[in-house]
């Protein structure tokens, strides 16, 4: 082990140490002052983000080829750390209000982010699996952290059982790929497939099983069944983190694995991914129409958005488009993360004791009583639909362009049609906010207000100057 | 070869005994015996480290946990209720297919030549230690963090929240 090894994982090592120390420091913090733990956790994330950004543009392979630091990992890790900051910001007041404030809440979020960052840097299937477990276990616990509430416990156990099950699929896939190629390192797998030494059938079966495992994590059809129940049952601040963080990590791992380990079987896999993407968009958007609970609606919406991002994978079959597909995919992840954190912050503002205030009807009259909050919600709904002037539209434009260039016209068509369907249920929220009479009760907490306010501004402003962000995403290449 | 055949018979009988026994404690004890025989298989195959791990982790720690849970819950005897009536004939049918397929493959191939014998010291504790602390250092260290997280998570879930204490 040498300096390069440490340097390649420096942000992760710092964050791991920080979260382990936070567990100890938290013991000395009075129960009434757990806010200090939140601030310390946020400070750790900010420090790690600084370190990550300072590594921009560098490429280092560390730990015998187990991990890599490159443009892609820097970009994804920055996005993950941003999600962590937002997750703490929306949780700060909410978990106090719900009586589930515990110092471990913040440590678990940090540990989960460590796993996600490791996933984005992994260059070996063994590391991918360990990172997958490291990001999932804190999420299972966080989903069930409101353990006096049956719904939260149900969400935790459901997520845990299905998550463990999908973890098994990943391990089986890794074993098959190892059996076929004799290695778990991405570069060696790719080399073995390229030279024709590997048994193609075994590799395909292994890749398919890995895809199933990650399909569970990102909530792609037909592995989406857990999403609505878990999103609804988990405390809303956890759901917000799950929706953004787990998706970013899952997709970054999928992109990395399929772009660097299986480039030569992309032609076989791309049509499968295209069909999964189409099904995910259709099921997510159609099921969302019937929802009356905003958390369930957003859960189905998150399934639908997983479908849009999966469209990027259809373009993988064409090597010339691979980089474009990856940058369009991660750009969409940025757009989705920003919009979704803003939306969840508003959902948390309206949520009351015992899960009240979560029906879409409870938003009636928000346009009159809280014009600013309603305006922000309008922006988020427009962004999720993909209507200008929002980041969601720009993200969709980049994605559709790649899909059309890859000659998947039918897929782009389904994407556009399902976006039209989604307009119905997103715009219904706006209609209810402004057209219906009601007296919605909201909670004003400074951090919550900051979150939705800042996210609304980002959604609009970044959509006006998307070129600089997209240039950064395009520079985030895998080495 | 004789050792193998005797052990194989023991392994099969204990596995069947575990499945058939209606008493959960007997099942668990059959499983211990099964694990022990499998551990000897590993020794025969030249993998002493895995053999020892099998005994200490599976036959030792995990089975003690199993027995603890069985005795704590007090469900020694299983009631004879079978909700999935179609499952048994299907399972038996599939098992027969698997056995016939295995026998056919063994007879038609005559040898198990496609399994290459690994080098002598592949499974030795020293070789595994060398691998863990050189090539697989990062996964090894990451696993320790993973276990820490799992431990913290288990503790968090068992301690009730303040809200729960009040009500």
């Amino acid at each position: 082990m040498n300096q390069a090894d440490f340097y390649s994982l420096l942000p992760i090592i710092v964050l791991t140490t920080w979260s382990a120390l936070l567990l100890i420091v938290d013991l000395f913090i009075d129960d009434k002052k757990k806010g200090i733990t939140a601030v310390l956790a946020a400070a750790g994330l900010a420090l790690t983000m600084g370190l990550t950004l300072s590594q921009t543009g560098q490429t280092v392979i560390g730990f015998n080829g187990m991990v890599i630091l490159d443009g892609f990992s820097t970009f994804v890790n920055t996005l993950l750390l941003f999600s962590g900051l937002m997750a703490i910001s929306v949780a700060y007041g909410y978990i106090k209000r719900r009586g589930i404030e515990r110092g471990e809440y913040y440590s678990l979020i940090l540990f989960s982010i460590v796993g996600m960052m490791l996933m984005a840097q992994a260059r070996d299937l063994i590391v991918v699996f360990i990172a997958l477990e490291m990001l999932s276990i804190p999420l299972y616990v966080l989903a069930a952290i409101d353990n006096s509430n049956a719904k939260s416990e149900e969400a935790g156990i459901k997520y845990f059982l299905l998550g463990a099950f999908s973890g098994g699929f990943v391990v089986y896939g890794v074993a098959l790929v190892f059996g076929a190629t004799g290695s778990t390192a991405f570069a060696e797998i790719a080399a073995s497939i390229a030279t024709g030494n590997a048994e193609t059938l075994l590799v395909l079966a292994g890749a398919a099983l890995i895809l199933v495992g990650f399909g569970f994590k990102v909530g792609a059809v037909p592995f989406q069944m857990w999403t609505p129940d878990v999103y609804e049952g988990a405390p809303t601040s956890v759901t917000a983190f799950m929706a953004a963080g787990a998706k970013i990590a899952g997709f970054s791992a999928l992109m990395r694995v399929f772009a660097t380990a299986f480039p030569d079987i992309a032609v076989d896999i791309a049509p499968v991914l295209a069909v999964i993407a189409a099904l995910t968009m259709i099921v997510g958007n159609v099921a969302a129409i019937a929802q009356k609970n905003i958390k369930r609606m957003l859960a189905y919406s998150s399934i639908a958005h997983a479908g849009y991002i999966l469209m990027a994978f259809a373009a993988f079959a064409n090597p010339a488009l691979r980089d474009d597909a990856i940058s369009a995919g991660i750009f969409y992840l940025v757009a989705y993360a920003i919009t979704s954190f803003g939306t969840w912050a508003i959902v948390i503002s309206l949520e009351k004791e015992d899960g009240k205030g979560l029906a879409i009807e409870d938003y009636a009259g928000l346009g009159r009583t809280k014009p600013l909050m309603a305006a922000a919600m309008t922006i988020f709904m427009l962004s999720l639909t993909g209507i200008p002037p929002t980041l969601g539209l720009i993200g969709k434009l980049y994605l559709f362009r790649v899909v059309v260039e890859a000659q998947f016209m039918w897929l782009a068509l389904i994407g556009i049609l399902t976006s039209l369907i989604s307009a119905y249920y997103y715009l219904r929220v706006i209609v209810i906010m402004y057209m219906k009479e009601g007296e919605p009760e909201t909670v004003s907490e400074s951090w919550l207000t900051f979150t939705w306010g800042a996210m609304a501004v980002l959604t609009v402003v970044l959509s006006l100057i998307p070129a600089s962000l997209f240039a950064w995403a395009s520079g985030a290449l895998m080495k | 070869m004789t050792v193998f055949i005797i052990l194989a018979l023991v392994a099969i009988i204990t596995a069947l005994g575990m499945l058939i026994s209606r008493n959960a404690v007997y099942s668990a004890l059959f499983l211990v015996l099964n694990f022990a025989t499998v551990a000897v298989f590993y020794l025969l195959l030249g993998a002493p480290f895995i053999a020892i791990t099998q005994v200490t982790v599976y036959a030792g720690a995990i089975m003690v946990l199993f027995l603890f849970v069985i005795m704590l819950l007090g469900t020694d005897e299983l009631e004879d209720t079978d909700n999935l009536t179609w499952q048994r004939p299907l399972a038996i049918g599939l098992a027969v297919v698997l056995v016939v397929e295995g026998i056919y493959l063994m007879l038609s191939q005559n040898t198990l030549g496609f399994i290459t014998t690994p080098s002598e010291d592949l499974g030795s504790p020293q070789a595994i230690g060398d691998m863990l602390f050189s090539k697989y250092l990062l996964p090894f260290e990451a696993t320790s963090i993973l276990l820490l997280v799992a431990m913290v998570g288990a503790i968090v879930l068992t301690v009730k929240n303040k809200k729960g204490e009040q009500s």
Side-chain angles (χ1 to χ4, degrees):
Chain A
M1 210 164 44
N2 54 33
Q3 222 174 341
D5 291 337
F6 277 116
Y7 188 72
S8 66
L9 276 189
L10 185 64
I12 293 184
I13 294 171
V14 168
L15 191 61
T16 313
T17 321
W18 192 286
S19 26
L21 287 177
L22 190 65
L23 277 175
I24 301 169
V25 171
D26 178 58
L27 294 176
F28 301 99
I29 295 176
D30 190 77
D31 265 356
K32 293 197 176 60
K33 293 179 190 157
K34 287 297 178 200
I36 300 175
T37 317
V39 172
L40 286 176
L45 288 174
L47 172 71
T48 315
M49 198 190 246
L51 286 173
T52 307
L53 286 174
S54 76
Q55 291 178 327
T56 308
Q58 304 193 42
T59 306
V60 186
I61 293 178
F63 290 96
N64 300 301
M66 290 281 165
V67 286
I68 184 169
L69 162 74
D70 58 5
F72 180 75
S73 76
T74 312
F75 187 91
V76 172
N77 284 353
T78 310
L79 183 57
L80 286 169
L81 290 163
F82 167 79
S83 309
L85 285 172
M86 290 301 112
I88 289 175
S89 166
V90 293
Y92 183 79
Y94 176 75
I95 58 175
K96 200 180 289 178
R97 170 149 56 97
R98 286 277 302 264
I100 51 174
E101 190 183 36
R102 311 259 285 269
E104 293 90 351
Y105 185 98
Y106 302 107
S107 297
L108 285 171
I109 284 191
L110 294 199
F111 275 122
S112 188
I113 290 173
V114 168
M116 292 168 183
M117 290 170 70
L118 190 59
M119 187 105 121
Q121 290 196 257
R123 217 169 147 266
D124 189 293
L125 288 174
I126 293 178
V127 180
V128 168
F129 176 67
I130 293 174
L132 177 70
E133 291 302 306
M134 209 195 282
L135 82 88
S136 306
I137 288 177
L139 287 181
Y140 306 147
V141 177
L142 286 173
I145 201 162
D146 187 4
N147 56 13
S148 50
N149 176 344
K151 271 204 158 176
S152 171
E153 288 200 311
E154 180 197 331
I157 198 86
K158 254 187 193 156
Y159 195 30
F160 170 66
L161 288 178
L162 286 174
F165 191 54
S166 68
F169 276 102
V170 176
V171 177
Y172 260 122
V174 172
L176 286 183
V177 171
F178 178 70
T181 61
S183 174
T184 52
F186 293 171
E188 287 172 36
I189 293 172
S192 172
I193 297 172
T195 51
N197 287 334
E199 180 83 39
T200 317
L201 190 64
L202 273 184
V203 175
L204 276 180
L209 287 175
I210 293 175
L211 180 64
V212 169
F214 282 105
F216 264 109
K217 269 281 144 321
V218 300
V221 173
F223 318 112
Q224 89 294 3
M225 301 80 79
W226 58 273
T227 319
D229 289 349
V230 172
Y231 276 33
E232 189 193 358
T236 315
S237 58
V238 176
T239 313
F241 177 54
M242 228 187 265
K247 267 206 174 52
I248 298 167
F251 276 115
S252 67
L254 265 185
M255 285 176 193
R256 172 86 78 186
V257 170
F258 282 90
T260 59
F262 304 126
D264 288 300
I265 53 169
V267 185
D268 303 311
I269 290 180
V272 180
L273 283 164
V275 172
I276 293 179
L279 283 176
T280 310
M281 289 187 287
I282 295 171
V283 170
N285 281 316
V286 171
I289 292 178
Q291 303 307 319
K292 297 205 162 50
N293 179 306
I294 189 118
K295 278 172 97 175
R296 285 188 87 85
M297 188 200 98
L298 288 172
Y300 280 109
S301 135
S302 93
I303 295 174
H305 285 278
Y308 293 123
I309 301 167
L310 273 171
M311 287 202 304
F313 289 84
F316 264 38
N318 186 344
L321 287 174
R322 198 162 291 156
D323 288 343
D324 286 347
I326 290 171
S327 39
I330 54 180
F331 186 89
Y332 199 82
L333 281 172
V334 176
Y336 180 70
I338 291 177
T339 313
S340 118
F341 268 115
T343 319
W344 287 112
I346 292 183
V347 171
I348 290 175
S349 307
L350 270 95
E351 183 174 346
K352 289 185 283 292
E353 281 292 304
D354 303 322
K356 292 206 176 62
L358 286 174
I360 298 175
E361 292 293 324
D362 291 332
Y363 287 71
L366 196 69
R368 194 172 39 79
T369 53
K370 294 270 175 188
L372 271 179
M373 195 188 269
M377 191 67 168
T378 309
I379 291 171
F380 298 138
M381 290 297 124
L382 292 179
S383 179
L384 288 172
T385 325
I387 297 174
T390 56
L391 207 49
L393 169 81
I394 314 285
K396 278 204 175 112
L397 278 182
Y398 284 131
L399 270 179
F400 285 134
R401 195 185 66 189
V402 168
V403 175
V404 169
E405 277 175 16
Q407 308 292 327
F408 276 100
M409 293 307 275
W410 62 272
L411 188 60
L413 202 64
I414 289 181
I416 292 168
L417 284 178
T418 50
S419 299
L420 287 178
I421 297 176
S422 73
Y424 171 74
Y425 61 87
Y426 290 132
L427 296 184
R428 193 178 56 184
V429 177
I430 302 177
V431 169
I432 286 175
M433 280 193 309
Y434 285 102
M435 307 289 184
K436 272 198 159 179
E437 288 297 312
E439 289 294 331
E441 284 173 47
T442 56
V443 183
S444 12
E445 277 157 5
S446 40
W447 280 109
L448 220 45
T449 315
F450 164 77
T451 310
W452 60 252
M455 293 306 110
V457 170
L458 273 181
T459 307
V460 175
V461 170
L462 284 179
S463 80
L464 300 176
I465 45 160
S468 53
L469 183 60
F470 192 70
W472 192 23
S474 311
L477 293 181
M478 291 179 196
K479 292 284 162 47
Chain B
M1 196 64 191
T2 5
V3 182
F4 172 77
I5 289 173
I6 296 169
L7 280 174
L9 282 176
V10 175
I12 292 172
I13 292 168
T14 49
L16 282 176
M18 187 207 88
L19 284 176
I20 293 168
S21 164
R22 308 301 306 176
N23 185 318
V25 180
Y26 290 175
S27 276
L29 292 176
F30 272 124
L31 193 57
V32 175
L33 205 53
N34 184 267
F35 281 156
T37 8
V38 173
V40 184
F41 281 145
Y42 285 133
L43 268 184
L44 290 178
L45 288 170
F49 183 77
I50 300 181
I52 296 301
T53 328
Q54 171 88 7
V55 171
T56 51
V57 177
Y58 282 96
I62 290 187
M63 284 319 296
V64 170
L65 271 181
F66 268 26
L67 284 174
F68 254 122
V69 172
I70 292 170
M71 290 179 173
L72 276 179
L73 293 179
T75 48
D76 297 2
E77 291 285 338
L78 277 180
E79 287 155 40
D80 204 13
T81 48
D82 210 347
N83 292 330
L84 301 167
T85 42
W86 49 269
Q87 196 205 23
R88 191 172 297 214
L90 183 71
I92 292 173
L94 285 177
V96 168
V97 170
L98 185 68
V99 169
V100 169
E101 190 190 354
I103 291 173
Y104 171 76
L105 274 179
M106 250 191 276
L107 292 180
S108 65
Q109 303 259 345
N110 207 12
T111 53
L112 293 174
F114 48 89
I115 298 176
T116 47
T117 344
S119 64
E120 191 78 350
D121 61 341
L122 187 79
S124 74
Q126 192 193 351
I128 290 176
D130 276 348
M131 288 283 258
L132 276 187
F133 286 100
S134 59
K135 191 181 173 198
Y136 292 102
L137 177 69
L138 178 74
F140 182 67
E141 296 289 345
T143 310
S144 67
I145 308 285
L146 177 63
L147 292 176
L148 171 73
V149 175
M151 200 164 63
V152 172
I155 294 168
V156 167
L157 283 184
T158 45
V159 179
K160 281 279 172 198
N161 287 305
K162 279 167 261 164
K163 192 175 75 179
E165 283 163 17
Q166 287 162 4
S167 58

Coordinates of all heavy atoms in Angstrom, one line a residue, chain A residues 125 186 190 203-204 206-212 214-215 250-270 273 310 313 316-317 322 326 478:
Chain A
L125 N -15.8 -6.4 -9.0 CA -17.2 -6.8 -8.6 C -17.3 -7.1 -7.1 O -18.3 -6.9 -6.5 CB -17.6 -8.0 -9.4 CG -17.9 -7.8 -10.9 CD1 -18.2 -9.0 -11.6 CD2 -19.1 -6.8 -11.0
F186 N -12.9 -5.4 -13.3 CA -13.6 -5.0 -14.6 C -12.7 -5.1 -15.8 O -13.1 -5.7 -16.8 CB -14.1 -3.6 -14.5 CG -15.2 -3.3 -13.4 CD1 -15.6 -2.1 -13.1 CD2 -15.8 -4.4 -12.8 CE1 -16.5 -1.9 -12.2 CE2 -16.8 -4.2 -11.9 CZ -17.1 -2.9 -11.5
A190 N -13.4 -7.5 -19.0 CA -13.6 -7.0 -20.4 C -12.6 -7.7 -21.3 O -12.9 -8.1 -22.5 CB -13.4 -5.5 -20.4
V203 N -21.4 -15.5 -19.1 CA -21.2 -14.1 -18.9 C -22.5 -13.4 -19.0 O -22.9 -12.5 -18.2 CB -20.2 -13.5 -19.9 CG1 -20.1 -12.0 -19.8 CG2 -18.8 -14.1 -19.7
L204 N -23.3 -13.8 -20.0 CA -24.6 -13.1 -20.2 C -25.5 -13.4 -19.0 O -26.2 -12.5 -18.5 CB -25.3 -13.7 -21.4 CG -24.9 -13.0 -22.7 CD1 -25.6 -13.6 -23.9 CD2 -25.2 -11.5 -22.7
G206 N -24.6 -14.1 -16.0 CA -24.0 -13.3 -14.8 C -24.4 -11.9 -14.9 O -24.9 -11.3 -14.0
A207 N -24.2 -11.3 -16.1 CA -24.6 -9.9 -16.3 C -26.1 -9.7 -16.0 O -26.5 -8.7 -15.4 CB -24.2 -9.4 -17.7
A208 N -26.9 -10.6 -16.5 CA -28.3 -10.5 -16.3 C -28.7 -10.5 -14.8 O -29.5 -9.7 -14.3 CB -29.1 -11.6 -17.0
L209 N -28.0 -11.4 -14.0 CA -28.3 -11.5 -12.6 C -27.9 -10.2 -11.9 O -28.5 -9.7 -11.0 CB -27.6 -12.7 -12.0 CG -28.3 -14.0 -12.3 CD1 -27.5 -15.2 -11.8 CD2 -29.7 -14.1 -11.8
I210 N -26.7 -9.6 -12.3 CA -26.2 -8.4 -11.7 C -27.2 -7.3 -12.0 O -27.6 -6.5 -11.2 CB -24.8 -8.0 -12.2 CG1 -23.8 -9.1 -11.7 CG2 -24.4 -6.6 -11.8 CD1 -22.4 -8.9 -12.3
L211 N -27.7 -7.3 -13.2 CA -28.7 -6.3 -13.6 C -30.0 -6.4 -12.8 O -30.6 -5.4 -12.4 CB -29.1 -6.5 -15.1 CG -30.1 -5.6 -15.7 CD1 -29.6 -4.1 -15.7 CD2 -30.4 -6.0 -17.1
V212 N -30.4 -7.7 -12.5 CA -31.6 -7.9 -11.7 C -31.4 -7.3 -10.3 O -32.2 -6.5 -9.7 CB -31.9 -9.4 -11.5 CG1 -33.0 -9.6 -10.5 CG2 -32.4 -9.9 -12.8
F214 N -29.3 -4.9 -9.3 CA -29.4 -3.4 -9.3 C -30.7 -2.9 -9.7 O -31.1 -1.8 -9.3 CB -28.3 -2.8 -10.2 CG -26.9 -2.9 -9.6 CD1 -26.0 -3.8 -9.9 CD2 -26.6 -2.0 -8.5 CE1 -24.8 -3.9 -9.3 CE2 -25.4 -2.1 -7.9 CZ -24.5 -3.0 -8.3
G215 N -31.5 -3.7 -10.5 CA -32.8 -3.3 -10.9 C -33.7 -3.1 -9.6 O -34.5 -2.2 -9.5
G250 N -26.9 3.4 -7.4 CA -27.3 2.2 -8.2 C -27.0 2.5 -9.7 O -26.4 1.6 -10.3
F251 N -27.4 3.6 -10.2 CA -27.1 3.9 -11.6 C -25.7 4.1 -11.9 O -25.2 3.7 -12.9 CB -27.9 5.1 -12.0 CG -29.3 4.8 -12.4 CD1 -30.4 5.2 -11.7 CD2 -29.6 3.9 -13.5 CE1 -31.7 4.9 -12.0 CE2 -30.9 3.6 -13.8 CZ -31.9 4.1 -13.1
S252 N -24.9 4.7 -11.0 CA -23.5 4.9 -11.3 C -22.8 3.6 -11.3 O -21.9 3.4 -12.2 CB -22.9 5.8 -10.2 OG -22.8 5.2 -9.0
A253 N -23.2 2.6 -10.4 CA -22.6 1.3 -10.5 C -23.0 0.6 -11.8 O -22.1 0.0 -12.4 CB -23.0 0.5 -9.3
L254 N -24.3 0.7 -12.2 CA -24.7 0.0 -13.4 C -23.9 0.6 -14.6 O -23.4 -0.2 -15.5 CB -26.2 0.3 -13.6 CG -27.2 -0.7 -13.2 CD1 -28.6 -0.3 -13.6 CD2 -26.8 -2.1 -13.7
M255 N -23.8 1.9 -14.6 CA -23.0 2.5 -15.8 C -21.6 2.0 -15.8 O -21.1 1.6 -16.8 CB -23.0 4.0 -15.6 CG -24.3 4.7 -16.0 SD -24.3 6.4 -15.6 CE -26.0 6.9 -15.7
R256 N -21.0 2.1 -14.6 CA -19.6 1.7 -14.5 C -19.4 0.2 -15.0 O -18.6 -0.1 -15.8 CB -19.1 1.9 -13.1 CG -17.7 1.4 -12.8 CD -16.6 2.3 -13.2 NE -16.5 3.3 -12.2 CZ -15.6 4.4 -12.3 NH1 -14.9 4.5 -13.4 NH2 -15.5 5.3 -11.4
V257 N -20.2 -0.7 -14.4 CA -20.1 -2.1 -14.7 C -20.3 -2.4 -16.2 O -19.5 -3.1 -16.8 CB -21.1 -2.9 -13.8 CG1 -21.1 -4.4 -14.3 CG2 -20.6 -2.9 -12.4
F258 N -21.4 -1.8 -16.7 CA -21.7 -2.2 -18.1 C -20.9 -1.5 -19.1 O -20.7 -2.0 -20.2 CB -23.2 -1.9 -18.3 CG -24.1 -3.0 -17.8 CD1 -24.6 -3.0 -16.5 CD2 -24.3 -4.2 -18.5 CE1 -25.3 -4.0 -16.0 CE2 -25.1 -5.2 -18.0 CZ -25.5 -5.1 -16.7
A259 N -20.3 -0.3 -18.7 CA -19.4 0.4 -19.6 C -18.0 -0.2 -19.6 O -17.3 -0.2 -20.6 CB -19.4 1.9 -19.4
T260 N -17.5 -0.6 -18.4 CA -16.1 -1.0 -18.4 C -15.9 -2.5 -18.3 O -14.9 -3.0 -18.7 CB -15.4 -0.3 -17.2 OG1 -16.0 -0.7 -16.0 CG2 -15.4 1.2 -17.3
A261 N -16.9 -3.2 -17.7 CA -16.7 -4.7 -17.6 C -17.3 -5.5 -18.8 O -16.8 -6.5 -19.2 CB -17.2 -5.2 -16.3
F262 N -18.5 -5.0 -19.2 CA -19.2 -5.7 -20.3 C -19.4 -4.9 -21.6 O -20.4 -5.0 -22.1 CB -20.6 -6.1 -19.8 CG -20.5 -6.9 -18.5 CD1 -21.3 -6.5 -17.4 CD2 -19.8 -8.1 -18.4 CE1 -21.3 -7.3 -16.2 CE2 -19.8 -8.8 -17.2 CZ -20.5 -8.4 -16.1
P263 N -18.3 -4.2 -22.0 CA -18.6 -3.4 -23.2 C -18.9 -4.3 -24.4 O -19.7 -3.9 -25.3 CB -17.3 -2.6 -23.4 CG -16.3 -3.3 -22.7 CD -17.0 -4.0 -21.6
D264 N -18.3 -5.5 -24.5 CA -18.5 -6.3 -25.7 C -19.8 -7.0 -25.8 O -20.1 -7.6 -26.8 CB -17.3 -7.2 -25.8 CG -16.0 -6.5 -26.2 OD1 -16.0 -5.9 -27.3 OD2 -15.1 -6.5 -25.4
I265 N -20.5 -7.1 -24.7 CA -21.8 -7.8 -24.8 C -22.9 -6.7 -24.7 O -24.1 -7.1 -24.6 CB -22.0 -8.9 -23.7 CG1 -21.8 -8.3 -22.3 CG2 -21.2 -10.1 -23.9 CD1 -22.2 -9.2 -21.2
A266 N -22.5 -5.4 -24.8 CA -23.5 -4.4 -24.7 C -24.6 -4.5 -25.8 O -25.8 -4.2 -25.6 CB -22.9 -3.0 -24.9
V267 N -24.2 -5.0 -27.0 CA -25.1 -5.2 -28.1 C -26.2 -6.2 -27.7 O -27.4 -6.0 -28.1 CB -24.4 -5.7 -29.3 CG1 -25.3 -5.8 -30.5 CG2 -23.2 -4.9 -29.6
D268 N -25.9 -7.2 -26.9 CA -26.9 -8.2 -26.5 C -27.8 -7.6 -25.4 O -28.9 -7.9 -25.3 CB -26.2 -9.5 -26.0 CG -25.3 -10.1 -27.0 OD1 -25.8 -10.2 -28.2 OD2 -24.1 -10.4 -26.7
I269 N -27.2 -6.8 -24.6 CA -27.9 -6.3 -23.4 C -28.7 -5.1 -23.7 O -29.8 -4.9 -23.1 CB -26.9 -6.0 -22.2 CG1 -26.3 -7.4 -21.7 CG2 -27.5 -5.3 -21.1 CD1 -25.3 -7.2 -20.6
A270 N -28.3 -4.2 -24.6 CA -29.0 -3.0 -24.8 C -30.5 -3.1 -25.1 O -31.3 -2.4 -24.5 CB -28.3 -2.2 -26.0
L273 N -32.3 -3.8 -21.9 CA -32.4 -2.6 -21.1 C -33.4 -1.7 -21.6 O -34.1 -1.0 -20.9 CB -31.0 -1.9 -21.0 CG -30.1 -2.6 -20.0 CD1 -28.7 -2.1 -20.3 CD2 -30.5 -2.3 -18.6
L310 N -32.8 4.9 -17.3 CA -32.4 3.6 -18.0 C -32.4 3.7 -19.5 O -31.7 2.9 -20.1 CB -33.4 2.5 -17.6 CG -33.1 1.7 -16.3 CD1 -34.3 0.8 -15.9 CD2 -31.9 0.9 -16.4
F313 N -29.1 3.7 -21.1 CA -28.3 2.5 -21.3 C -28.6 1.9 -22.6 O -27.8 1.1 -23.1 CB -28.7 1.5 -20.2 CG -28.1 1.9 -18.8 CD1 -28.8 2.7 -18.0 CD2 -26.9 1.3 -18.4 CE1 -28.3 3.1 -16.8 CE2 -26.4 1.7 -17.2 CZ -27.1 2.6 -16.4
F316 N -25.9 2.3 -25.1 CA -24.6 1.7 -24.8 C -24.1 0.9 -25.9 O -22.9 0.7 -26.0 CB -24.7 0.9 -23.5 CG -24.2 1.6 -22.3 CD1 -24.5 3.0 -22.1 CD2 -23.5 1.0 -21.3 CE1 -24.1 3.7 -21.0 CE2 -23.1 1.7 -20.2 CZ -23.4 3.0 -20.0
A317 N -25.0 0.3 -26.7 CA -24.6 -0.6 -27.7 C -23.7 0.0 -28.7 O -22.9 -0.6 -29.4 CB -25.8 -1.2 -28.4
R322 N -21.3 6.0 -26.2 CA -21.3 5.6 -24.8 C -21.0 6.8 -23.8 O -21.7 7.0 -22.9 CB -20.2 4.6 -24.6 CG -20.4 3.8 -23.3 CD -19.6 2.5 -23.4 NE -20.2 1.6 -24.4 CZ -19.5 0.6 -25.0 NH1 -18.2 0.4 -24.7 NH2 -20.1 -0.2 -25.8
I326 N -23.5 8.3 -20.9 CA -23.2 8.4 -19.5 C -23.4 9.8 -19.0 O -24.0 10.1 -18.0 CB -21.7 7.9 -19.3 CG1 -21.6 6.4 -19.5 CG2 -21.3 8.3 -17.9 CD1 -20.3 5.9 -19.5
M478 N -15.2 7.9 -17.7 CA -14.6 6.8 -17.0 C -13.3 6.5 -17.7 O -13.2 6.6 -18.9 CB -15.5 5.6 -17.2 CG -16.8 5.7 -16.4 SD -17.8 4.3 -16.7 CE -19.3 4.9 -16.1

